[in-house]
Structures are given as structure tokens and as C-alpha cells.
């Protein structure tokens, strides 16, 4: 394996002043001093941290050694037999780098499995929190382009992974991701749909006789009816909600687009609540739902979680795994939310702490 590191910075991207002004007003009020250091990081894409998630189903040859030689280190703590942490025995490997040393993305070649997936390292946190065990049924409600579905498949081999995406174009992208990283022999474990995630929770078990993508025909584009002999009870549901992605919104080249987004932003909390309620309806009693976003906006984080907790019967908010948080606190800055509805990962200067993410986990009684 040869990796040509790309140390050269990418061309400077233009910041949208309208969006920045809006963020300054909102986040200085919501986050206080923390906003100003987060802002510096967001305005300096060269300081953003990229992770290299290895694909355990591919031929990795000497990839780990190559990454180590380039200065990459493993994000997750190494195996420690005394530790109870659920991450220690996971076959998931993600490498990170302190400097802007980027490696190239790999192209799609039919019949060949890619060796790694580039992602923002903190986007693994929802998957680590989900803590999928071998054989469990998992629903990834808002799945495209597939980074978290892929990470779930690296962490464990589920009984069934149902990855759903509403948008047709992004659904096609999701199919391609799964095809590029997951061997055809195991694709019977996948079901990929393009449904409105808000409707999935209300489907009766029989209603799973819907237009589902037949696993194993990921490159086809045709759909067929799948019936499950047993009702599929979802033990785990991930809601990686559509949100106002602070990082990409800040770099919209078009002021008009920036203004449109800011208007649409007010509509997002309703959609997020409906998706979260749908996830809670889809999970079986005792199952776990993880809600995550990549925005710092209170309206899309705490307020969504609080509103759903106030209106949804029989659901309990879980404490996040403190051992996991502690083991990653050198890599990410976790701001504990008050009231306590999860953790907000805030971009921080001079360290590796650049991701924006909210994490909350629920258990259905
Ligand atoms: N989990 C993905 C990953 O790790 O690659 C990223 C998901 S992105 C934050 C949110 C996704 O939700 C978008 O692809 C968006 O098209 C999709 N989405 C928006 N509304 C939806 C809905 N009602 N049902 C399902 N998916 C939806």
C-alpha cells in the first residue's frame, strides 16, 4: 500500500458573511465565550480534523503502518483487558492526525472494496454510543451518504442493518457507499430504503412488507418487496438528523443560498422531533435510540430532546458512557449540557477538538 499524503492546503473557501453574522449573534448568546474559540476553528478549515476509518472487510495490507509512518494515531484506546469500556474490543479502527496531512479519497471500482473512508472523527461518537453488538438489528434512520452505517458495520456485524434515506440522489450515494465497502456475501445483512424516516416508526410489523431494497442488488437500482418472517424488532436506532450543518453552511458561496438556509433553519426542529418520535416508535422495549446532529444550535439539540421527552410516554434518557467520554476527552471537547440531555462536542483551538456534534441516548421502557 502506498499513500501519498496531501500536505498542501486546499484552495481558500469563501465564508458567507450573512451566515457568520447570524452565528455570531446566536452562538455568542447560547455558548458565551466558547463560541469565539469555536469560531476561530470553524474559520480555519486547515485545523479541522479528518479521520481515516479503516475497512475491516478489505485487504488492508500494510495500511496501518503507512498511516503510522505519516504521523497518524488510532483514535480509540488500545485494548486493555481490565477495562470495562465497550470500545476496547471493537474491531473499529479510525486514524487521526494533528496536522493537515490528508490522504486521497479512493475511487469506486466495481468488484473491489475500498480500504478506508475519510470522515470527521467526531462523527464516530454516535456509533460508539450506540454500541452495537453482534447480531443486533439496527436502524440508521437518516443514513446518506453512509458514513455511520459504514462505521456500524466496522464496529460489529449486525443481524440486520436497515439504512434509510429520503432523498433519492443521496439514497443512490448511500447504495454506492455500502457496495464499495461491504462484501457481496454479507449484503444479505443490509436493507436499504428511501422512505420518509418519519413514517418508519408507525409501520406495523406487517408494514415492513414495503418497498425495500433487496440486499444483494445494491448496484441495481431496482426495488422489490421484502417480507420478514419475524417482525423486525429494532434494538438500536440511530437518528443522525438533518440539521443546519454549521460547518458547511458557513462556507456557502452564495449569499442568497445562505439566507434561504437561515429561513429553512426554523423548520428543522419540527422535522427533527418527528424523526426522533418515529425512531422511538420503531425501537423495541429495552432498545436504545441515539440522536445526533452536527450543529451547535440549541433549538436543534436540547430543545428537540426536551420536547420529545416531555411528550413521549415510556422513554428514559440514558447517561452517556462516562468511560467512553473520558477516554476521548483528549481528542474532543465535551461540553456537558444543562439541563443534562447529552453532550455537545465543541470545536476548540490548538488541539484536535474541532467537531460540532450533539449526542443524546434514550431507552424505551
Ligand atoms: N448519517 C449520515 C452519515 O453519517 O453519512 C449523515 C446524515 S445527514 C446528517 C442527514 C440525512 O437525512 C440527509 O442525507 C438527508 O437527506 C436525510 N433526511 C432528511 N429528511 C429525512 C427524512 N424525513 N427521512 C429520512 N432521511 C431524511
Amino acid at each position: 500500500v502506498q499513500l501519498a499524503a496531501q500536505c498542501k492546503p486546499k484552495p481558500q473557501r469563501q465564508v458567507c458573511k450573512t451566515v457568520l453574522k447570524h452565528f455570531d449573534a446566536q452562538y455568542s448568546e447560547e455558548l458565551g465565550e466558547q463560541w469565539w474559540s469555536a469560531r476561530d476553528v470553524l474559520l480555519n478549515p486547515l485545523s479541522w480534523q479528518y479521520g481515516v476509518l479503516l475497512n475491516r472487510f478489505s485487504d488492508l495490507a500494510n495500511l496501518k503502518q503507512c498511516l503510522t509512518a505519516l504521523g497518524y494515531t488510532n483514535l480509540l484506546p488500545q485494548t486493555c483487558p481490565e477495562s470495562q469500556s465497550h470500545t476496547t474490543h471493537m474491531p473499529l479502527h479510525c486514524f487521526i492526525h494533528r496536522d493537515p496531512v490528508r490522504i486521497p479519497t479512493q475511487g469506486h471500482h466495481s468488484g473491489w472494496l475500498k480500504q478506508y473512508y475519510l470522515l470527521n472523527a467526531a462523527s464516530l461518537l454516535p456509533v460508539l454510543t450506540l454500541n452495537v453488538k453482534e447480531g443486533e438489528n439496527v436502524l440508521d434512520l437518516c443514513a446518506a451518504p453512509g458514513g455511520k452505517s459504514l462505521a456500524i458495520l466496522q464496529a460489529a456485524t449486525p443481524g440486520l442493518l436497515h439504512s434509510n434515506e429520503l432523498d433519492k440522489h443521496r439514497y443512490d450515494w448511500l447504495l454506492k457507499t455500502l457496495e464499495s465497502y461491504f462484501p457481496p456475501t454479507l449484503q444479505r445483512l443490509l436493507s436499504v430504503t428511501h422512505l420518509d424516516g418519519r413514517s418508519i416508526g408507525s409501520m406495523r410489523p406487517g408494514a415492513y412488507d414495503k418497498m425495500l431494497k433487496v440486499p444483494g442488488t445494491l448496484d441495481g437500482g431496482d426495488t422489490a418487496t421484502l417480507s420478514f418472517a419475524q417482525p423486525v424488532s429494532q434494538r438500536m436506532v440511530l437518528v443522525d438528523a438533518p440539521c443546519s450543518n454549521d460547518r458547511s453552511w458557513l462556507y456557502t458561496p452564495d449569499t442568497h443560498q445562505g439566507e434561504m438556509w437561515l429561513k429553512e433553519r426554523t423548520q428543522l426542529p419540527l422535522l427533527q422531533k418527528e424523526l426522533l418520535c418515529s425512531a422511538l416508535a420503531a425501537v423495541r422495549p429495552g432498545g436504545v435510540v441515539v440522536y445526533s446532529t452536527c450543529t451547535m444550535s440549541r433549538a436543534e439539540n436540547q430543545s428537540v430532546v426536551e420536547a420529545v421527552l416531555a411528550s413521549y410516554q415510556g422513554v428514559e434518557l440514558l447517561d452517556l458512557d462516562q468511560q467512553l467520554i473520558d477516554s476521548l476527552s483528549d481528542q474532543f471537547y465535551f461540553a456537558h449540557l444543562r439541563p443534562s440531555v447529552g453532550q455537545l462536542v465543541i470545536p476548540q483551538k490548538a488541539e484536535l477538538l474541532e467537531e460540532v456534534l450533539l449526542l443524546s441516548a434514550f431507552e424505551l421502557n
Side-chain angles (χ1 to χ4, degrees):
V1 176
Q2 293 226 325
L3 285 179
Q6 296 172 337
C7 300
K8 275 196 219 141
K10 284 194 157 186
Q12 204 62 36
R13 290 196 279 169
Q14 199 70 36
V15 170
C16 177
K17 291 202 173 68
T18 313
V19 174
L20 183 61
K21 199 169 148 207
H22 180 89
F23 282 3
D24 278 344
Q26 180 181 351
Y27 290 145
S28 60
E29 195 262 311
E30 291 182 7
L31 301 169
E33 283 307 303
Q34 295 176 116
W35 162 242
W36 300 105
S37 53
R39 181 188 198 268
D40 286 349
V41 180
L42 290 178
L43 291 177
N44 179 14
L46 284 181
S47 69
W48 296 359
Q49 181 187 334
Y50 292 91
V52 183
L53 176 66
L54 302 193
N55 181 16
R56 69 184 172 115
F57 303 106
S58 70
D59 176 8
L60 291 174
N62 57 342
L63 186 59
K64 283 186 199 166
Q65 291 91 318
C66 287
L67 288 169
T68 310
L70 288 171
Y72 278 84
T73 52
N74 205 333
L75 171 73
L76 297 176
Q78 298 302 296
T79 304
C80 158
E82 306 90 60
S83 167
Q84 297 299 307
S85 172
H86 66 241
T87 59
T88 49
H89 300 293
M90 243 180 215
L92 181 151
H93 289 279
C94 180
F95 283 76
I96 51 172
H97 204 298
R98 281 179 182 271
D99 300 316
V101 175
R102 302 194 57 188
I103 61 170
T105 50
Q106 293 184 314
H108 177 81
H109 304 290
S110 208
W112 179 76
L113 295 180
K114 294 187 187 181
Q115 297 165 300
Y116 55 83
Y117 183 87
L118 301 178
L119 77 180
N120 294 309
S123 60
L124 288 179
L125 292 171
V127 175
L128 296 175
T129 300
L130 206 54
N131 191 18
V132 176
K133 304 269 174 27
E134 298 289 306
E136 286 178 333
N137 294 329
V138 188
L139 169 61
D140 185 358
L141 199 64
C142 308
K148 292 184 187 66
S149 284
L150 189 60
I152 288 167
L153 293 167
Q154 300 304 318
T157 306
L160 177 82
L161 172 63
H162 176 177
S163 301
N164 178 68
E165 168 58 44
L166 176 65
D167 181 277
K168 176 68 173 80
H169 170 72
R170 290 176 67 86
Y171 162 79
D172 289 340
W173 189 4
L174 170 66
L175 290 175
K176 203 160 227 182
T177 304
L178 293 171
E179 188 199 343
S180 306
Y181 289 90
F182 207 51
T185 49
L186 291 179
Q187 284 184 5
R188 67 193 152 75
L189 304 179
L190 306 179
S191 106
V192 191
T193 56
H194 65 109
L195 299 170
D196 187 329
R198 289 172 290 187
S199 66
I200 288 183
S202 63
M203 289 175 175
R204 311 249 168 237
Y208 260 81
D209 277 336
K210 284 277 166 172
M211 298 297 276
L212 299 188
K213 196 75 184 63
V214 175
T217 60
L218 288 173
D219 51 349
D222 46 334
T223 53
T225 304
L226 253 196
S227 31
F228 295 101
Q230 299 289 327
V232 175
S233 63
Q234 303 288 357
R235 161 94 177 94
M236 308 263 169
V237 183
L238 176 63
V239 187
D240 191 33
C243 64
S244 48
N245 183 328
D246 294 338
R247 195 189 293 226
S248 55
W249 282 29
L250 199 52
Y251 289 93
T252 173
D254 174 353
T255 309
H256 178 66
Q257 175 70 61
E259 284 163 0
M260 292 282 291
W261 273 346
L262 292 175
K263 267 196 205 132
E264 282 169 24
R265 198 173 205 207
T266 55
Q267 312 297 317
L268 283 167
L270 177 62
L271 172 62
Q272 289 156 342
K273 278 178 226 161
E274 289 174 347
L275 285 166
L276 183 49
C277 287
S278 173
L280 289 166
V283 78
R284 71 165 167 79
V288 170
V289 172
V290 170
Y291 175 80
S292 61
T293 71
C294 50
T295 175
M296 293 183 280
S297 174
R298 188 183 289 159
E300 296 176 50
N301 292 327
Q302 288 104 302
S303 305
V304 169
V305 173
E306 286 175 88
V308 169
L309 279 174
S311 66
Y312 206 97
Q313 299 292 308
V315 75
E316 189 188 328
L317 193 68
L318 295 176
D319 286 334
L320 299 178
D321 177 353
Q322 195 53 46
Q323 209 172 352
L324 172 70
I325 308 280
D326 291 346
S327 67
L328 294 173
S329 56
D330 283 347
Q331 276 85 18
F332 306 109
Y333 174 66
F334 293 95
H336 190 67
L337 295 178
R338 301 198 197 293
S340 180
V341 292
Q343 299 272 352
L344 189 66
V345 181
I346 298 184
Q348 284 292 299
K349 238 195 314 200
E351 289 166 61
L352 293 177
L353 316 166
E354 83 314 326
E355 184 58 299
V356 175
L357 179 131
L358 171 97
L359 261 187
S360 291
F362 305 81
E363 181 168 14
L364 193 69
N365 293 325

